[in-house]
Amino acid sequence: MKSIQKICCVGAGYVGGPTMAVIAQKNPHIQITVVDLNEARIQAWNDEDLSKLPIYEPGLDVIVGEARGRNLFFDTNVDKAIDEADMIFISVNTPTKTYGKGKGMAADLKYIELCARQIARVAKTDKIVVEKSTLPVRTAQAIKRILDQTGNGVEFQILSNPEFLAEGTAVQDLMNPDRVLIGGSETSKGKEAIEALAAIYGAWVPQERILRTNVWSSELSKLTANAFLAQRVSSINAISELCEVSGADVNEVARAIGTDSRIGNKFLKASVGFGGSCFQKDILNLVYIAKSYGLDEVADYWEQVIIMNDHQKRRFADNIVTTLFNTVNGKKIAFLGWAFKKDTNDTRESAAIYVANDLIEEEAQIHVYDPKVTEIQMLSDLDYLATRDAESNAKHLTVHADAYKALEEAHGIAVLTEWDEFKTYDWQRIYDNMQKPAFVFDGRNILDHQMLEEVGFEVYTIGKGQN
């Protein structure tokens, strides 16, 4: 088995950037080039000021600082990097289709296909191609068919190596993964390719955590893992609504069932709903695959997880309107947080976008503070929904660099991201500067509700009946 000298990663996003940085740090003898057509993004990865990296992940700046310029490079010359590499990671975006067959469910593989065609056009020597993007089952087959038609006489081995990173803890997840999954073909050359990739991870991951499977199992395992996790979130959120009407406390219910060793306590936190780029996309993928095989009951089962999640976000927004005397027209509603979770600047499928959209529909004025998300990003998130024109969104959304300014004179506060700093605020000062009655809607159940009530706030907590 020849050892890998040069790696190219196509796509410098949330997966490609951090993954390659850690692989480069742990394998100083391998030259790694991350390529992307987005010049501004590559410039940001190359910025001397490490706080300007395009992706915020705790600890990532240190790793990039150590490896960049030594054996980690960021470039826009995609062809050159592909040509020189022994191994190519495909880490491009696979959004859910917004058009045509499978609209709203199937993954849009346009970028994957373009990438495969580019590899086919450029490659003059044998390559190992690694799928890193989240993909529907059997994508590897499509990639292989494109690559094998090149006529360059080049032999390609396709591996599936799905990422299991949680944003906000991506560096930790990469440094100490539960498992690394590598799927490949069961031919001798396929096995060789699997071992070549396993050796790269083996620089820091114990071999017993590196799972080797066939390609289809690897691809499906990724979708299934996310579907199971998301299903737990929707399950506890379904119970949260029952708790509110029956007077139970969802935190107590979660603690009680979480101590059952068969269930465990992870992903049982009731909230305004899950966000992020993977859960929704992967479940919709699973639904689409099941439907395409005529498995309607299987599809309906998994789709319900998404339906429940959407319902939870809508219910949260409806509750704000109802509580504020059935109208938020012209009222200032302050949002704490816009990212889909703490310790990341990623906003994909964030609950905040949908809650804001529903409240703007009711003519509310939304004022937002998030420590890491820019105003441009927030407005583009709202515009992407295409509910109204960009001008109307800009008129109803104000972004603040100072949390206290965002909260001043507000009729209600909605906590939509669980940033730790929100717990440390001077809530007496906030109360004194708000409209009365002052409402707090804690969509992440992170604040000290008893303290808030003592200060004078009326507090709405998901999954807890009102006293």
Side-chain angles (χ1 to χ4, degrees):
M1 178 185 83
K2 85 180 181 68
S3 69
I4 302 298
Q5 309 291 314
K6 289 189 176 180
I7 290 176
C8 155
C9 174
V10 184
Y14 281 92
V15 176
T19 305
M20 292 304 122
V22 171
I23 288 179
Q25 189 208 32
K26 300 292 189 185
N27 292 274
H29 59 287
I30 300 178
Q31 183 186 314
I32 296 177
T33 308
V34 183
V35 288
D36 202 296
L37 295 174
N38 182 333
E39 285 184 27
R41 177 175 275 184
I42 292 296
Q43 270 176 347
W45 278 113
N46 283 322
D47 201 304
E48 294 216 344
D49 180 352
L50 290 166
S51 69
K52 300 242 172 78
L53 295 181
I55 283 156
Y56 174 71
E57 279 291 336
L60 181 60
D61 50 354
V62 179
I63 291 168
V64 170
E66 184 189 322
R68 194 176 63 189
R70 179 192 70 191
N71 67 320
L72 176 64
F73 303 92
F74 296 91
D75 206 328
T76 51
N77 191 337
V78 182
D79 282 8
K80 180 172 184 281
I82 288 173
D83 177 43
E84 293 177 356
D86 311 309
M87 181 179 275
I88 301 163
F89 283 79
I90 298 183
S91 205
V92 298
N93 198 10
T94 49
T96 301
K97 278 182 85 172
T98 54
Y99 57 89
K101 189 171 177 239
K103 176 183 174 178
M105 277 188 193
D108 190 343
L109 300 181
K110 141 176 108 175
Y111 302 111
I112 294 280
E113 184 177 332
L114 286 170
C115 186
R117 289 191 185 281
Q118 189 165 8
I119 294 169
R121 180 172 53 74
V122 171
K124 304 286 182 289
T125 53
D126 294 357
K127 313 275 183 201
I128 296 172
V129 177
V130 184
E131 290 178 350
K132 201 75 193 142
S133 306
T134 299
L135 298 169
V137 179
R138 297 204 168 263
T139 304
Q141 197 174 34
I143 294 174
K144 187 154 177 52
R145 282 180 60 195
I146 292 167
L147 293 175
D148 286 348
Q149 303 306 314
T150 62
N152 290 353
V154 174
E155 199 167 331
F156 293 97
Q157 285 301 325
I158 317 291
L159 300 178
S160 165
N161 174 220
E163 51 85 16
F164 295 99
L165 304 180
E167 286 175 38
T169 57
V171 172
Q172 260 165 279
D173 297 340
L174 283 161
M175 291 293 199
N176 188 22
D178 288 343
R179 78 297 202 192
V180 172
L181 196 53
I182 304 174
S185 87
E186 286 158 323
T187 63
S188 64
K189 287 214 169 149
K191 286 180 179 154
E192 244 178 63
I194 290 173
E195 291 314 315
L197 183 53
I200 290 166
Y201 282 109
W204 79 98
V205 181
Q207 281 299 326
E208 64 271 15
R209 287 202 215 158
I210 301 176
L211 310 181
R212 294 133 169 105
T213 68
N214 75 34
V215 174
W216 315 138
S217 302
S218 172
E219 290 181 330
L220 190 55
S221 298
K222 165 68 179 173
L223 299 187
T224 308
N226 277 345
F228 271 56
L229 294 174
Q231 177 234 90
R232 286 172 68 94
V233 178
S234 282
S235 296
I236 200 68
N237 280 342
I239 299 302
S240 75
E241 191 166 7
L242 193 55
C243 288
E244 286 168 36
V245 296
S246 66
D249 181 337
V250 76
N251 293 329
E252 291 174 3
V253 173
R255 194 170 74 232
I257 65 168
T259 54
D260 185 323
S261 60
R262 296 164 304 174
I263 297 172
N265 60 5
K266 302 268 173 66
F267 283 79
L268 286 182
K269 202 157 170 41
S271 70
V272 66
F274 57 74
S277 64
C278 283
F279 279 5
Q280 175 142 334
K281 186 171 76 174
D282 287 2
I283 294 172
L284 290 171
N285 244 315
L286 207 51
V287 170
Y288 184 68
I289 291 162
K291 280 191 170 160
S292 68
Y293 284 115
L295 309 175
D296 289 349
E297 290 79 4
V298 175
D300 292 348
Y301 175 81
W302 287 110
E303 191 168 14
Q304 192 58 45
V305 174
I306 301 284
I307 292 168
M308 186 65 229
N309 196 49
D310 291 342
H311 168 68
Q312 191 77 344
K313 291 183 264 198
R314 206 169 310 116
R315 192 167 81 80
F316 186 76
D318 288 350
N319 192 57
I320 292 175
V321 177
T322 312
T323 308
L324 290 174
F325 316 109
N326 284 323
T327 177
V328 289
N329 190 316
K331 289 181 179 172
K332 176 175 178 177
I333 309 294
F335 278 24
L336 284 175
W338 189 271
F340 87 90
K341 66 185 229 188
K342 72 174 184 176
D343 292 337
T344 178
N345 60 345
D346 193 354
T347 62
R348 285 176 291 183
E349 294 298 333
S350 174
I353 303 166
Y354 297 93
V355 175
N357 187 54
D358 286 357
L359 293 175
I360 290 171
E361 217 38 37
E362 296 284 339
E363 295 294 332
Q365 286 298 326
I366 309 292
H367 289 247
V368 192
Y369 167 75
D370 186 290
K372 291 289 173 190
V373 181
T374 62
E375 179 175 12
I376 292 170
Q377 185 59 52
M378 294 183 200
L379 285 169
S380 100
D381 289 336
L382 282 173
D383 294 345
Y384 184 74
L385 297 180
T387 316
R388 63 190 73 77
D389 60 53
E391 206 180 327
S392 305
N393 283 330
K395 205 172 80 188
H396 285 90
L397 187 82
T398 311
V399 182
H400 297 266
D402 173 359
Y404 290 99
K405 206 84 196 123
L407 303 174
E408 212 171 81
E409 294 294 316
H411 291 80
I413 297 171
V415 180
L416 287 152
T417 313
E418 69 283 17
W419 288 102
D420 292 331
E421 68 177 69
F422 300 159
K423 302 177 205 171
T424 67
Y425 289 174
D426 179 345
W427 285 94
Q428 182 66 57
R429 173 186 163 190
I430 291 165
Y431 177 78
D432 293 343
N433 290 309
M434 272 179 74
Q435 305 273 358
K436 308 294 183 296
F439 296 98
V440 171
F441 302 88
D442 189 353
R444 296 290 169 193
N445 283 355
I446 59 165
L447 300 176
D448 179 340
H449 300 141
Q450 195 180 333
M451 174 273 290
L452 290 175
E453 281 165 358
E454 283 164 10
V455 165
F457 285 102
E458 290 195 29
V459 183
Y460 167 74
T461 315
I462 286 176
K464 204 170 179 183
Q466 300 306 97
N467 299 333

